[in-house]
Amino acid sequence: MRTGILTKFNRKKNLWISKKHPLFIENNGFKVLYVSALLMHTRLNNNANPLNNLELERLIIRGFQLTSKEMISIMALSKDVEMLVDEIINALDTQRKKLLFYCDLMNMSISSLEITQEEQKSLDLFAELLNISSAEKELISQFISASFHKQYQNCIQIFDQMELMKFPITKMDISYYMIEYNYQNRITPESIHSGSINYFSGDCLFEGTFYLSPDTTIHISNALVKVNGNFIIDNSTLHIENSWIDFSKKEHTKDSFQAFLLVKNSGHVQFKNTTLQCSYNGGLLYQIDGISTLEHCTIKNTSIVPAIVSNGNTISIQHSNFSNCFTKQKGGALYIRNGSAQIKNCVFTDCMAHYGGAIYANYRTMIFNCSFEHCYTTEFGSAIFYHGEIHSNVEKCNCNHCYPKENTIVQYIGENLSSYNITKETTFTYSTIFDCPVLIDEFGIFCMEHATLYLHHHLVCHGIINLKKVKVREYNLEERDLFQLKTPKTCHFSNCEFDANGNHGIFYAVRARIRVSNCIFKNTAGGRAIYDAFMPVIDGCVFSNCEEGGLYCNAGKITNSSFINCRGRSGAGIIMYGSRGQIESCFFQRCISEYSGGAIDMSGSRHIIGCSFEECRPNNFS
């Protein structure tokens, strides 16, 4: 292109405001071949250096975003003319690609002076090889000339003629050549061509319910989009990249599930480097069946339903942020009901739900390297509610300022299970809800640490149980006691908290030797906190508000423990029978019995050493 220095300077700035080329989404091999053919064409102008062609430069740098390494391949390919002509003709396999290539040929050649004779021969040859008619050539020539001189009104009028001739290109496509022309492209369902790929970029307004029939694709890139409606992706594809999407208004359809995007029948949704703003008008995506992938995206301001619901097939979310996602249902940001999911390197901020403040996941969900900030739940799992055993499917996740703190990540076990049997060594590191009876057989070992345990049915132990820094809560418990320890091998509890919620006992220990240290037992009723333990070793524990009494045991050693506000017919704090029993350095406050031994009722040999009593009735011990 023959231009003066000032013109070059003024046009150089266009590199920074240029749109992507309409064929930007093609693979790099195609783009290298495409630019090589254009470079070959520009070499025909002996009056100008092809490497100084500003339109070629704009195409390489902004239109296709090619690298210096790819430029080396372009330089080499452009010199093999015969091979290159054959290759590019084969690669231009649609009428849209052919017409756009001819537009670019003209765009490289156009100037205030006449096109050279050699360039014109090249244009005519390509027009013949690509089956471009004389009328099409004339319209393209007029359009490129008008766009070069920034006569954008003429460009639009020429484009209207192109549409009448059924050119398979859109106003979005031609906007690449009108660098300084800004407009909002209004798209309606009638604008979508079924069974083909529909490309959109720039400033767009989508209005209505867009039903993407099978084999139809909408590809949105480098766009600022406002959506007043829904998308139904039925065995079709929605691909959005490098864009900002504002779902400002939703037209509810009967089967929309309160979401802007509905995916079914093996539909495919792919988002990359895109912000999706839902304006608190519902959820973003409901997937009945299909594949959804999100990478480097931001999803924010969803309400009513989870931001994303996956009810089948697969979903993958990586390096994405979810913020201000609210629902009264399950999973503020993500509800993975069925199918499989992979969630990696994501951040969830200010999300809230009834179960799973940020994520409600099934057992086929993998969650790695995610962060949760200020996520809340009214029930369980302020960050994650995991429906099934987690195993190694959740790793390296951080939770900050998520409430309730005690169950930021919860696994739920028991649906459709008659019982959960532990037959080998089993360690739980996450808070767990058992919604079925739990049986530890004689060879089983159950370990839990730094977590909360919720029991809907009692846990029966014949083997080994070891709890450390565990909070135990009843979860609408159906039996009298939380634990039945039936001749177990070993029972160790340290730094734990047991809360029976004013309805149950805690340990029903049949011939059980238990060791308990620095634990809290509270709010028992219907049974003692510990009943019928055999020679227990209890140190540094607190028994509070035990309505049927604190401890009932055969001998044992009780030290440095407190019994507060306990009630019972006798021995509200402790009933100990048998010989060799010892109670040392314990504190009893407001322990009240109906008959005797307000604090302690002992038979056989008894050793009460260094204990103190306050307001215990009818007496301290008997």
Side-chain angles (χ1 to χ4, degrees):
M1 187 177 297
R2 300 178 294 278
T3 55
I5 294 175
L6 182 60
T7 302
K8 287 183 179 181
F9 177 80
N10 288 332
R11 297 197 66 196
K12 195 79 172 177
K13 74 180 190 301
N14 291 338
L15 285 175
W16 311 113
I17 63 174
S18 176
K19 304 175 180 68
K20 296 291 188 296
H21 190 274
L23 298 178
F24 173 79
I25 66 164
E26 298 293 329
N27 62 63
N28 280 2
F30 173 86
K31 290 190 283 190
V32 166
L33 183 65
Y34 193 95
V35 174
S36 300
L38 293 173
L39 176 58
M40 175 190 69
H41 175 77
T42 59
R43 283 203 174 106
L44 298 174
N45 188 338
N46 296 322
N47 298 322
N49 184 342
L51 297 181
N52 290 333
N53 189 305
L54 296 177
E55 283 301 322
L56 182 62
E57 182 182 12
R58 182 168 77 94
L59 176 64
I60 293 169
I61 295 175
R62 298 292 290 179
F64 280 167
Q65 289 187 342
L66 298 177
T67 64
S68 56
K69 181 179 179 181
E70 288 158 339
M71 270 304 299
I72 295 172
S73 300
I74 290 168
M75 295 291 291
L77 276 172
S78 66
K79 295 177 182 178
D80 192 343
V81 176
E82 290 185 7
M83 180 277 295
L84 184 55
V85 170
D86 290 338
E87 290 289 330
I88 192 62
I89 296 301
N90 289 332
L92 298 172
D93 52 6
T94 67
Q95 188 65 10
R96 177 173 178 268
K97 290 179 181 178
K98 293 175 182 178
L99 292 172
L100 288 172
F101 180 72
Y102 194 78
C103 283
D104 285 315
L105 288 172
M106 288 293 301
N107 203 34
M108 303 299 154
S109 303
I110 194 69
S111 70
S112 57
L113 302 176
E114 292 183 0
I115 297 174
T116 66
Q117 186 175 2
E118 291 301 318
E119 286 176 302
Q120 189 60 56
K121 286 181 180 179
S122 176
L123 286 166
D124 293 340
L125 175 62
F126 274 112
E128 182 179 350
L129 292 173
L130 297 173
N131 294 318
I132 295 175
S133 68
S134 297
E136 290 171 332
K137 287 170 52 179
E138 181 62 25
L139 281 179
I140 291 174
S141 176
Q142 292 176 13
F143 172 78
I144 293 299
S145 177
S147 66
F148 177 76
H149 293 98
K150 299 182 181 180
Q151 297 168 351
Y152 294 141
Q153 191 58 43
N154 288 344
C155 288
I156 299 303
Q157 292 174 358
I158 296 168
F159 175 73
D160 290 340
Q161 297 178 52
M162 291 179 175
E163 284 193 315
L164 291 174
M165 290 183 62
K166 299 189 182 303
F167 272 49
I169 58 178
T170 67
K171 193 178 291 185
M172 287 284 189
D173 294 334
I174 66 164
S175 68
Y176 169 77
Y177 305 97
M178 301 186 294
I179 298 174
E180 298 179 10
Y181 179 68
N182 295 315
Y183 70 99
Q184 183 179 68
N185 191 23
R186 181 175 176 271
I187 301 108
T188 64
E190 291 74 24
S191 307
I192 305 302
H193 301 288
S194 296
S196 62
I197 303 176
N198 300 262
Y199 298 96
F200 301 99
S201 60
D203 190 353
C204 303
L205 172 63
F206 283 80
E207 290 187 319
T209 297
F210 292 82
Y211 179 85
L212 277 62
S213 58
D215 301 321
T216 301
T217 297
I218 288 182
H219 189 285
I220 300 171
S221 64
N222 303 284
L224 181 63
V225 178
K226 185 175 182 179
V227 179
N228 292 337
N230 297 64
F231 289 86
I232 299 175
I233 301 97
D234 184 359
N235 193 21
S236 49
T237 302
L238 176 63
H239 183 181
I240 303 176
E241 62 181 355
N242 305 316
S243 299
W244 177 290
I245 314 295
D246 185 356
F247 295 96
S248 59
K249 181 181 178 183
K250 181 166 82 275
E251 292 184 0
H252 293 288
T253 58
K254 186 176 181 180
D255 58 351
S256 68
F257 298 96
Q258 300 287 330
F260 288 101
L261 310 175
L262 175 65
V263 184
K264 61 182 183 178
N265 298 328
S266 301
H268 185 198
V269 170
Q270 183 176 5
F271 298 145
K272 186 174 181 180
N273 193 29
T274 292
T275 295
L276 301 126
Q277 141 83 301
C278 294
S279 304
Y280 302 109
N281 283 317
L284 171 67
L285 170 67
Y286 191 101
Q287 178 174 294
I288 296 174
D289 177 63
I291 299 173
S292 298
T293 59
L294 292 86
E295 186 176 353
H296 295 285
C297 290
T298 297
I299 296 91
K300 59 184 181 179
N301 303 338
T302 63
S303 64
I304 306 173
V305 296
I308 295 176
V309 177
S310 179
N311 208 22
N313 217 324
T314 62
I315 186 166
S316 173
I317 305 172
Q318 300 187 41
H319 301 282
S320 295
N321 298 327
F322 291 78
S323 64
N324 297 308
C325 300
F326 305 103
T327 180
K328 294 181 180 179
Q329 303 173 15
K330 300 173 181 178
L334 302 175
Y335 179 15
I336 312 300
R337 185 175 180 182
N338 292 308
S340 61
Q342 188 176 82
I343 304 158
K344 289 185 176 181
N345 304 302
C346 294
V347 178
F348 299 82
T349 307
D350 292 311
C351 298
M352 186 171 70
H354 186 55
Y355 289 96
I359 301 174
Y360 186 102
N362 69 4
Y363 69 98
R364 294 174 61 191
T365 302
M366 293 184 290
I367 306 170
F368 302 135
N369 297 312
C370 292
S371 297
F372 302 85
E373 304 276 348
H374 297 283
C375 295
Y376 310 96
T377 179
T378 55
E379 285 289 343
F380 302 105
S382 53
I384 302 171
F385 187 101
Y386 199 93
H387 202 282
E389 293 185 62
I390 289 177
H391 297 300
S392 60
N393 288 342
V394 177
E395 291 187 352
K396 298 180 181 179
C397 290
N398 298 315
C399 304
N400 297 309
H401 307 292
C402 296
Y403 299 96
K405 287 184 177 180
E406 65 186 34
N407 58 35
T408 52
I409 301 176
V410 172
Q411 63 181 3
Y412 174 89
I413 298 172
E415 187 173 62
N416 301 323
L417 291 177
S418 58
S419 66
Y420 182 84
N421 299 323
I422 297 174
T423 59
K424 58 183 180 180
E425 185 170 355
T426 303
T427 300
F428 284 174
T429 56
Y430 292 103
S431 295
T432 301
I433 298 172
F434 278 118
D435 201 9
C436 64
V438 182
L439 174 64
I440 305 170
D441 75 10
E442 58 181 324
F443 301 107
I445 303 173
F446 176 56
C447 301
M448 193 174 206
E449 187 171 350
H450 291 283
T452 302
L453 178 63
Y454 300 91
L455 296 174
H456 182 52
H457 294 272
H458 57 207
L459 185 151
V460 179
C461 179
H462 296 286
I464 297 173
I465 183 170
N466 187 355
L467 304 186
K468 183 177 181 181
K469 296 184 178 179
V470 172
K471 293 182 178 180
V472 181
R473 303 284 186 264
E474 68 92 26
Y475 175 63
N476 300 318
L477 188 72
E478 295 190 355
E479 292 81 16
R480 192 192 74 170
D481 301 289
L482 276 69
F483 297 84
Q484 286 194 3
L485 309 177
K486 297 184 176 181
T487 322
K489 291 182 178 179
T490 306
C491 297
H492 286 177
F493 306 93
S494 63
N495 300 96
C496 295
E497 181 183 302
F498 302 88
D499 189 345
N501 200 28
N503 295 308
H504 310 279
I506 295 174
F507 292 148
Y508 185 86
V510 179
R511 298 182 299 279
R513 291 178 178 269
I514 64 175
R515 184 180 294 272
V516 185
S517 60
N518 303 310
C519 291
I520 298 173
F521 298 84
K522 61 183 181 180
N523 303 324
T524 64
R528 288 196 174 232
I530 300 176
Y531 179 78
D532 210 19
F534 179 72
M535 299 186 69
V537 177
I538 299 173
D539 179 66
C541 293
V542 175
F543 294 77
S544 175
N545 295 309
C546 298
E547 290 298 322
E548 300 296 330
L551 172 63
Y552 180 94
C553 61
N554 184 340
K557 185 175 182 180
I558 319 300
T559 57
N560 304 306
S561 297
S562 300
F563 296 80
I564 301 169
N565 293 331
C566 295
R567 301 291 185 269
R569 292 187 178 181
S570 62
I574 300 173
I575 295 179
M576 181 180 287
Y577 64 94
S579 58
R580 294 176 294 171
Q582 181 175 327
I583 303 172
E584 183 178 341
S585 302
C586 291
F587 173 65
F588 298 84
Q589 184 181 55
R590 291 187 296 277
C591 293
I592 300 172
S593 297
E594 295 180 18
Y595 303 111
S596 61
I600 304 170
D601 188 345
M602 296 185 67
S603 62
S605 301
R606 67 186 185 191
H607 301 278
I608 302 175
I609 305 170
C611 294
S612 58
F613 306 88
E614 290 184 5
E615 303 179 54
C616 296
R617 299 195 304 268
N619 47 27
N620 293 332
F621 54 85
S622 62

